[in-house]
Amino acid sequence: MISTPLVRLATILFLLFCSTMARADAVDDALAKFFDDKFPRTEQGIDALAASGAANAPAILEALGDNRLLIDQADHLIVYQTTGGDLINAKTGEKLAGVEAGALKKVRVNNALRRAIDAAMGSLTLASPDPQKRLAAADAVFKARDATALKALDVQLAHEADPRVAEALRQARAAIIVLDSSTPSADRVAAVATLKARGDQDAQSLIDETAAKTDDPAVKAAALDAMAAIKAHLVWLNVLQNLIYGVSAASVLLLAAIGLAITFGVMGVINMAHGEMVMLGAYTTFIVQSALPPAFSQWSLAVALPLAFLVAAVVGIAIERLVIRFLYGRPLETLLATWGVSLILQQGVRSLFGANNRQVSAPDFMSGSFDWAGLQITTGRLWIVALAIIVFAALQLALRATSFGLRMRAVTQNRRMAAAMGISTSRIDMFAFALGSGVAGVAGVALSQIDNVSPNLGQGYIIDSFMVVVLGGVGNLWGTLLGALVLGVANKLLEPVIGAVLGKILLLVCIILFIQKRPRGLFALKGRAVEA
Amino acid sequence: MSTPALRLDRAGLIFLALTLGAAALAPVFALLVPRDSAFAMPPYVVALIGKYLCYAILAVALDLVWGYCGILSLGHGAFFALGGYAMGMYLMRQIGARGVYANPILPDFMVFLNWKELPVAWWGFHSFAYASLMVMLVPGLLAFAFGWFAFRSRVTGVYLSIITQALTYALKLAFFRNDFGFGGNNGLTDFKDVLGFSVQSDATRAALFSISALALALAYLVSKAIVSSKYGKALIAVRDSESRVRFLGYRVENYKLFVFVVSAVMAGIAGALYVPQVGIINPSEFDPGNSIEAVIWVAVGGRGTLVGAALGAIAVNFAKTYFTGAFPEYWLFGLGGLFVLVTLFLPKGLLGLLNMRRAARPAAAPPSPAAQEEGVQ
Amino acid sequence: MTLAATDDPKLTSTLLYLDGVSVSFDGYKALRGLSLTLAPGEMRAIIGPNGAGKTTMMDVITGKTRPDEGDVYFEGRHDLTRLDEAEIAELGVGRKFQKPTVFENHTVSDNLLLAAKAPRGVFATLFGGSGAAQNETIERILTTIRLADLRQTRAGGLSHGQKQWLEIGMLLAQDPKLLLVDEPVAGMTDAETAATAELLREISHDHSVVVVEHDMAFVRELGVKVTVLHEGSVLAEGSLDQVSADERVIEVYLGR
Ligand SMILES: Nc1ncnc2c1ncn2[C@@H]1O[C@H](COP(=O)(O)OP(=O)(O)O)[C@@H](O)[C@H]1O
Ligand SMILES: [Mg+2]
């Protein structure tokens, strides 16, 4: 106990002594440590080099990390090899000629040393003129909690202009001092607050550690407090993240189901080949991508969208004219016949394109992901949500603002009355089918980005789509939207809790129970017309 | 079913004669006739036709609900598979210590998954009697629970069909999982013997064939008795005009529930007979496609004609065996085309066509129920 | 089954009691505060223009449509708004629909068999045959509705008038306490109409009957109390002569 201050004093004196001695050439001194090629010595060398702040220190450290730092113990020569292969004298910075790299010995490093190098690089680049680099450096220090960087942090913090970097620097500083019992209690409490503000997984574990280890009651209390706050925040973040996944799943469901809702609403028939319309849309995307010259590859989806709509709509019209038209008033038979059609379409595509998955690539602007307020967002998914919104809005507009839409709604609500008023229900059926199928084709373009493009693509969607329609009720697209949202979000919220399969089963049971209460869905039409 | 006495029509009598004849003669041709004789039934044919017979039972069960009560169940494949799994579990436990891991209690896949104890669901399956009970109880209870909700809430038509399909799909997902405890992806297989007889032996195969044929005859008789009773007449009335039946004071939901459960049990028995003959049961049996395919057997043969349903199952599966062997690429075109053509041009099926040809008294072939229902005002 | 909370004599002395019944479809009021009582054994004719709510009233009584408000009691004890179709039918309310609905795929006699008063449970119909007494009743009804020769004919093959009669026959077989008959003579010849009126009068000896009809000659022939419905509520009530003289009835229904 008594000895501790004494030892400390002695150390300081010793270091002072050393530093005066070494002032002549701190770099020289640091480099000397590498000659031994012993891990503890090398580590001292790294620290010393970082502390020297020499201009070529980063280059040397980097070379060390990459096994490019070479020594010649006999000639007392220390060189590093650039990535280009040149040999540079580390002391002088001069290029060496006539020396074979093979004749030199590499300074060995292990993982512990690599961490030390990273930390040292962090403190070295803290002063970089590029704010992006400073930010990265501050983050590196934060992660490494390298106490030697404290001084560099303080220096930089004193004149840092960029507020973001300043915040990162403060956080890095907080990470270092929060566990250091030599720091005054008030500073550490402030550090806890800084970490709490950061609020991510790393900050959380750091605060956890602090709460567990510290003897200081004030710090402990602050840490415990912050711990609870961060936990709550992370729970929220988690829920939000799952909500985002849910909305993303819902947009896919909506795209797949909305066409079905139209045909089912207008004609009361289930088109079991609806999933195959989606599949055709996906294959159209594939064909467009293979056919377009590479220069236009960024535009492939823009070309595929209208084309997929057309292809699916034409096939839809063919199905309606050739099969469904003759089964009017027999919904169960229609279901069977369209199932047959779906088998034929699947096998047709399989015969043409093979049974294997086809590769559809994403244009650059749709790939990748980004962080937003701690939430992970995939760019491709974001585009699909946008597409779903656009398709939904366009359909609403088509149904509300065009005379075709008016007639279609009339047929949906009361077919016989509409027919009596001179609406050609047979033509409306045909167009509704074309529209519903075409939208399915558009869905296929979106799905080609997130699912395997194979002949079985559509099968996975028909049941889910129908569940959406059941939930939403027919004759109202808002119902479909709500149904898709409820199913998509509920699915994703349940998934982490009880697993995907159990979640699906539970949802299914809920839907069955729901139908018990409202056999016609959330937004049901009422009246005699639908009582059949 | 004492009164009225069960009266069989000609088609029914011929059908019974055929199935009973097959039950009696198959062992003779399979076991007694010398192998090289032209009349000998090779083992693979026994197994193949035995399989068809199980499908025929499934078709009769499906016709009972669809043809006579208008319930288009797209979940009968699931009842079939559940019965099959119950039987498969018995067969698994019969393997005992002869498995790869030689564990006397745990089937191989459980040892492989490092399980230490037999899951509760597997208890009792060493007993044939218990397994047989489960063959009927599990599909029956599921049908009861599902039907109780669905029929009470008056879910009908395509809504009901799709929900049965979704149920099947959910079961498929569940059975695919290892931790669900029924062998996951691979299902149950490598059976050794049933009631002490090797499942591989010709004699056992012939016996299973005969039992399947007898079961088909029995399923036919029970179904015939049901549809000929006053209950059956009410059932047809429900199919044609559900709400009118309600106004007569019948509890339609109970009527539907009963026939649905009976039909599910029948499907379960069919599955149980199927599994020892094909030697495997896995989650793909739950595939929604299988259930719909069974519907097309009934449609081809003629819905509302029990004999037709059974014959349809045999005919379509015969064609399937032939086509998938000869032109594997074209089978799905053929099957898809069958769906389209039968619904468009042959709404009463082959037997209905025959009946019309003979201009016999119109059988209980259904008109479009939707058009009729609208009339109730 | 369900006991009414009240022992109101006005209620208990009636067979059918409707009070303030309102029904609306998507905002359209098909019934507005309809009130009507029927004494045991009474026959009542209901007339009114198309869309007056006559059929809707029957829907409410038979449990097909739930009223938004109002009371409906049968025999003063049973709250019909809380029972479903089958339960109401079991209580003894039979109905003939406006558009004849018979079981087209069944024979004439099977239609009657299904309607005949007998236990309705699943197992009763599964294991029980038709007793001799029941067969006799069916035979009697077949003669009454003049379809004895067609008993083995598929009901789908009957003419419109024959279907109407078959449906009345089904009502008879059901033997309910209260018969609701919706437009029984629509599409019938004069002779058939007269015969139907005769039949209904006969039935009314031991049943209570509510008949909805447009045909004035037919209503006159029935010779019973008439209720005029208009826009979902009662416009007038009384003998046919009384209501025919009513100014408002002439205005909205009979025409000047
Ligand atoms: N289920 C229903 N849905 C919507 N409107 C209905 C329904 N039932 C009846 N109506 C309307 O209520 C009104 C009364 O109908 P109804 O009772 O059939 O008249 P009536 O039988 O007197 O001719 C009519 O305008 C009809 O269109
Ligand atoms: Mg009317």
Side-chain angles (χ1 to χ4, degrees):
Chain A
M1 277 290 137
I2 302 165
S3 69
T4 321
L6 280 177
V7 171
R8 211 178 276 164
L9 184 66
T11 317
I12 291 170
L13 286 175
F14 173 74
L15 283 175
L16 267 171
F17 171 75
C18 287
S19 65
T20 31
M21 287 298 287
R23 181 164 294 166
D25 198 346
V27 179
D28 219 25
D29 205 43
L31 288 177
K33 295 191 169 31
F34 294 127
F35 279 111
D36 296 351
D37 194 17
K38 299 234 167 56
F39 291 145
R41 291 281 290 164
T42 309
E43 180 157 9
Q44 290 169 7
I46 293 168
D47 287 351
L49 199 56
S52 76
N56 60 351
I60 297 172
L61 285 176
E62 199 187 322
L64 176 63
D66 293 350
N67 283 330
R68 287 187 276 108
L69 192 66
L70 311 170
I71 46 176
D72 182 343
Q73 271 151 334
D75 284 356
H76 213 75
L77 184 67
I78 184 156
V79 297
Y80 63 91
Q81 191 171 25
T82 63
T83 41
D86 298 331
L87 292 178
I88 312 270
N89 187 329
K91 227 178 269 187
T92 58
E94 288 161 1
K95 210 162 158 181
L96 283 185
V99 181
E100 270 298 315
L104 302 171
K105 184 167 174 256
K106 282 178 184 159
V107 180
R108 292 170 308 137
V109 283
N110 61 8
N111 279 341
L113 287 183
R114 285 214 173 80
R115 271 196 296 280
I117 295 171
D118 284 346
M121 292 286 278
S123 62
L124 277 174
T125 43
L126 277 174
S128 160
D130 179 356
Q132 217 55 45
K133 282 228 176 84
R134 293 206 298 277
L135 201 62
D139 228 42
V141 173
F142 178 91
K143 296 238 160 73
R145 280 192 265 149
D146 174 18
T148 55
L150 198 53
K151 216 179 106 211
L153 281 174
D154 283 337
V155 170
Q156 185 59 28
L157 202 51
H159 60 90
E160 177 59 57
D162 188 324
R164 277 204 316 152
V165 180
E167 182 58 30
L169 290 170
R170 265 192 295 278
Q171 286 170 358
R173 196 173 175 280
I176 295 167
I177 62 169
V178 74
L179 273 167
D180 177 15
S181 49
S182 62
T183 315
S185 169
D187 283 1
R188 293 173 67 195
V189 171
V192 169
T194 310
L195 290 175
K196 179 178 149 193
R198 180 174 164 120
D200 66 354
Q201 210 84 46
D202 292 327
Q204 190 193 16
S205 58
L206 206 53
I207 291 177
D208 283 359
E209 204 181 328
T210 311
K213 283 191 186 158
T214 185
D215 311 320
D216 189 321
V219 176
K220 195 176 183 94
L224 284 175
D225 241 28
M227 219 161 92
I230 290 190
K231 282 245 166 64
H233 177 70
L234 282 184
V235 165
W236 268 112
L237 213 62
N238 215 343
V239 169
L240 272 179
Q241 183 71 62
N242 284 325
L243 263 179
I244 289 180
Y245 290 147
V247 168
S248 157
S251 66
V252 172
L253 276 179
L254 180 66
L255 279 172
I258 202 160
L260 195 69
I262 291 173
T263 47
F264 187 56
V266 172
M267 295 192 271
V269 302
I270 278 299
N271 176 17
M272 294 297 266
H274 186 79
E276 276 57 49
M277 302 292 127
V278 176
M279 183 261 288
L280 287 181
Y283 270 92
T284 307
T285 317
F286 165 69
I287 295 172
V288 167
Q289 274 196 355
S290 336
L292 277 187
F296 292 97
S297 70
Q298 295 300 315
W299 296 96
S300 63
L301 293 195
V303 179
L305 276 177
L307 221 58
F309 183 93
L310 264 180
V311 168
V314 167
V315 175
I317 288 184
I319 296 174
E320 203 276 334
R321 286 288 97 178
L322 294 176
V323 179
I324 294 178
R325 183 157 66 106
F326 302 106
L327 294 171
Y328 174 66
R330 292 158 63 195
L332 295 182
E333 275 87 345
T334 312
L335 187 157
L336 293 177
T338 50
W339 176 265
V341 171
S342 85
L343 292 184
I344 293 173
L345 287 175
Q346 276 174 41
Q347 185 59 39
V349 169
R350 201 173 289 127
S351 300
L352 280 175
F353 296 94
N356 297 339
N357 293 346
R358 288 294 166 169
Q359 201 53 50
V360 173
S361 58
D364 295 343
F365 65 92
M366 277 183 71
S367 40
S369 65
F370 59 92
D371 247 27
W372 180 69
L375 297 169
Q376 270 281 317
I377 295 175
T378 319
T379 318
R381 292 282 186 160
L382 201 62
W383 280 99
I384 293 179
V385 173
L387 180 67
I389 293 172
I390 292 170
V391 166
F392 181 81
L395 280 177
Q396 281 288 14
L397 205 68
L399 291 190
R400 309 243 153 234
T402 66
S403 84
F404 163 71
L406 181 69
R407 280 177 289 160
M408 208 171 97
R409 280 184 296 140
V411 175
T412 306
Q413 276 163 30
N414 192 335
R415 173 172 287 265
R416 254 181 296 169
M417 182 77 94
M421 289 175 57
I423 295 175
S424 161
T425 54
S426 146
R427 276 189 45 185
I428 294 291
D429 284 351
M430 189 175 86
F431 284 124
F433 217 83
L435 184 63
S437 303
V439 171
V442 169
V445 179
L447 286 181
S448 74
Q449 296 296 311
I450 54 170
D451 205 338
N452 298 329
V453 178
S454 80
N456 305 331
L457 170 76
Q459 281 193 313
Y461 290 95
I462 183 75
I463 290 179
D464 283 343
S465 303
F466 193 83
M467 290 299 131
V468 169
V469 176
V470 165
L471 203 57
V474 297
N476 189 330
L477 294 188
W478 288 106
T480 315
L481 175 65
L482 196 65
L485 272 175
V486 167
L487 274 189
V489 170
N491 215 341
K492 291 295 167 193
L493 288 186
L494 283 177
E495 227 175 76
V497 186
I498 55 174
V501 172
L502 218 60
K504 252 205 158 76
I505 295 174
L506 189 72
L507 271 184
L508 194 71
V509 172
C510 286
I511 289 177
I512 293 176
L513 291 179
F514 167 81
I515 290 186
Q516 168 97 334
K517 285 268 162 281
R518 304 195 62 162
R520 300 280 166 198
L522 289 169
F523 279 84
L525 288 173
K526 275 193 258 167
R528 238 171 228 184
V530 291
E531 262 176 27
Chain B
M1 272 148 242
S2 45
T3 53
L6 182 55
R7 269 198 306 273
L8 294 175
D9 50 11
R10 223 176 59 183
L13 284 173
I14 296 174
F15 177 73
L16 269 186
L18 281 177
T19 43
L20 294 178
L25 292 179
V28 175
F29 286 111
L31 302 175
L32 299 182
V33 174
R35 265 294 156 80
D36 45 12
S37 150
F39 295 103
M41 227 168 131
Y44 81 91
V45 174
V46 174
L48 195 66
I49 302 184
K51 202 172 84 170
Y52 295 169
L53 291 173
C54 298
Y55 288 149
I57 300 174
L58 174 61
V60 169
L62 190 56
D63 194 24
L64 202 52
V65 287
W66 184 40
Y68 291 89
C69 194
I71 302 169
L72 177 55
S73 163
L74 299 183
H76 263 53
F79 299 133
F80 182 86
L82 285 174
Y85 263 96
M87 178 55 72
M89 286 159 77
Y90 162 75
L91 295 171
M92 282 309 263
R93 297 215 44 197
Q94 288 301 298
I95 298 173
R98 286 170 292 173
V100 177
Y101 297 107
N103 188 313
I105 303 290
L106 298 186
D108 277 349
F109 77 87
M110 294 187 193
V111 182
F112 184 74
L113 290 174
N114 252 327
W115 292 4
K116 298 291 170 242
E117 279 173 52
L118 200 65
V120 182
W122 283 75
W123 291 3
F125 273 93
H126 59 277
S127 144
F128 183 78
Y130 178 80
S132 308
L133 185 69
M134 288 299 140
V135 160
M136 300 188 271
L137 209 57
V138 172
L141 278 180
L142 179 66
F144 184 87
F146 176 82
W148 197 86
F149 278 120
F151 300 140
R152 207 149 292 260
S153 51
R154 302 190 182 177
V155 180
T156 55
V158 286
Y159 282 89
L160 188 78
S161 300
I162 293 291
I163 288 185
T164 54
Q165 183 173 50
L167 180 81
T168 311
Y169 187 63
L171 280 172
K172 174 177 156 174
L173 291 182
F175 272 83
F176 258 118
R177 289 172 61 95
N178 274 332
D179 53 14
F180 199 57
F182 299 97
N185 209 347
N186 301 321
L188 312 176
T189 186
D190 288 335
F191 308 134
K192 299 282 190 270
D193 47 30
V194 49
L195 287 173
F197 304 103
S198 161
V199 287
Q200 305 288 348
S201 84
D202 290 354
T204 312
R205 285 183 179 282
L208 284 168
F209 179 101
S210 294
I211 294 170
S212 304
L214 286 176
L216 176 58
L218 193 67
Y220 171 74
L221 281 173
V222 168
S223 306
K224 190 72 186 171
I226 289 176
V227 300
S228 315
S229 68
K230 186 177 170 188
Y231 168 84
K233 287 176 178 158
L235 217 53
I236 294 171
V238 167
R239 176 194 72 192
D240 292 348
S241 182
E242 180 170 332
S243 61
R244 184 70 178 93
V245 181
R246 279 212 178 85
F247 287 116
L248 283 180
Y250 291 93
R251 305 221 60 96
V252 168
E253 57 275 25
N254 294 349
Y255 274 68
K256 287 181 167 178
L257 189 58
F258 178 79
V259 75
F260 195 61
V261 170
V262 167
S263 170
V265 170
M266 250 185 226
I269 294 172
L273 289 169
Y274 171 86
V275 167
Q277 301 191 61
V278 298
I280 184 169
I281 175 88
N282 63 30
S284 65
E285 289 295 336
F286 284 101
D287 196 89
N290 285 5
S291 295
I292 287 209
E293 213 174 304
V295 173
I296 207 63
W297 308 337
V298 179
V300 166
R303 59 182 284 216
T305 65
L306 296 166
V307 173
L311 295 184
I314 295 173
V316 174
N317 278 294
F318 181 77
K320 181 176 186 172
T321 307
Y322 174 73
F323 269 99
T324 46
F327 321 98
E329 263 102 89
Y330 296 105
W331 166 243
L332 276 186
F333 287 127
L335 184 63
L338 203 59
F339 272 96
V340 177
L341 296 180
V342 167
T343 45
L344 279 183
F345 301 112
L346 214 61
K348 291 180 179 179
L350 290 173
L351 216 69
L353 198 70
L354 270 179
N355 282 344
M356 271 198 308
R357 276 283 174 75
R358 281 202 265 115
R361 209 187 50 164
S368 89
Q372 287 240 329
E373 272 294 277
E374 274 183 282
V376 183
Q377 290 186 358
Chain C
M1 292 199 168
T2 338
L3 287 183
T6 161
D7 277 325
D8 186 351
K10 167 181 85 172
L11 213 159
T12 48
S13 64
T14 60
L15 181 70
L16 183 65
Y17 174 90
L18 275 76
D19 188 34
V21 175
S22 295
V23 171
S24 64
F25 297 107
D26 296 327
Y28 174 77
K29 288 213 157 213
L31 293 182
R32 319 169 183 236
L34 174 69
S35 301
L36 185 125
T37 58
L38 193 74
E42 186 186 349
M43 168 140 86
R44 175 77 57 89
I46 300 202
I47 60 175
N50 260 331
K54 307 181 294 288
T55 302
T56 305
M57 180 193 82
M58 293 201 166
D59 287 347
V60 168
I61 297 170
T62 51
K64 186 179 180 203
T65 302
R66 294 258 171 265
D68 301 333
E69 51 185 74
D71 297 326
V72 185
Y73 284 99
F74 184 65
E75 295 185 311
R77 289 177 287 141
H78 307 290
D79 182 352
L80 297 188
T81 58
R82 294 211 261 154
L83 303 179
D84 71 11
E85 299 98 314
E87 285 165 334
I88 292 172
E90 282 281 73
L91 284 179
V93 178
R95 176 171 184 188
K96 192 201 108 31
F97 291 87
Q98 182 167 348
K99 189 178 159 208
T101 33
V102 295
F103 302 120
E104 311 241 331
N105 283 306
H106 281 310
T107 61
V108 169
S109 63
D110 277 349
N111 266 281
L112 294 175
L113 177 68
L114 282 173
K117 189 171 190 158
R120 299 289 205 228
V122 167
F123 294 102
T125 54
L126 194 58
F127 296 112
S130 49
Q134 203 177 34
N135 287 340
E136 221 167 87
T137 318
I138 290 176
E139 280 307 313
R140 194 170 40 76
I141 293 171
L142 278 170
T143 326
T144 314
I145 59 174
R146 303 172 187 183
L147 292 174
D149 294 341
L150 299 173
R151 61 165 68 81
Q152 289 306 326
T153 310
R154 224 175 55 106
L158 297 179
S159 75
H160 186 78
Q162 285 169 330
K163 282 184 188 166
Q164 297 268 44
W165 278 63
L166 175 55
E167 223 189 338
I168 295 175
M170 288 166 74
L171 263 187
L172 287 174
Q174 204 181 340
D175 193 22
K177 294 174 189 152
L178 170 65
L179 283 77
L180 305 172
V181 188
D182 203 349
E183 307 204 9
V185 298
M188 282 191 180
T189 62
D190 285 354
E192 283 173 336
T193 303
T196 307
E198 175 62 36
L199 181 63
L200 280 179
R201 270 207 306 274
E202 210 178 296
I203 292 170
S204 72
H205 291 321
D206 40 13
H207 297 90
S208 306
V209 184
V210 174
V211 189
V212 164
E213 192 45 78
H214 277 299
D215 188 326
M216 278 302 152
F218 174 79
V219 174
R220 187 168 298 283
E221 215 154 313
L222 289 178
V224 295
K225 187 171 169 187
V226 174
T227 299
V228 184
L229 241 53
H230 175 58
E231 290 186 347
S233 53
V234 174
L235 188 68
E237 211 164 67
S239 74
L240 184 60
D241 291 331
Q242 279 169 343
V243 300
S244 322
D246 189 305
E247 275 295 313
R248 288 172 309 164
V249 175
I250 295 169
E251 172 99 11
V252 304
Y253 184 46
L254 301 174
R256 287 182 196 274

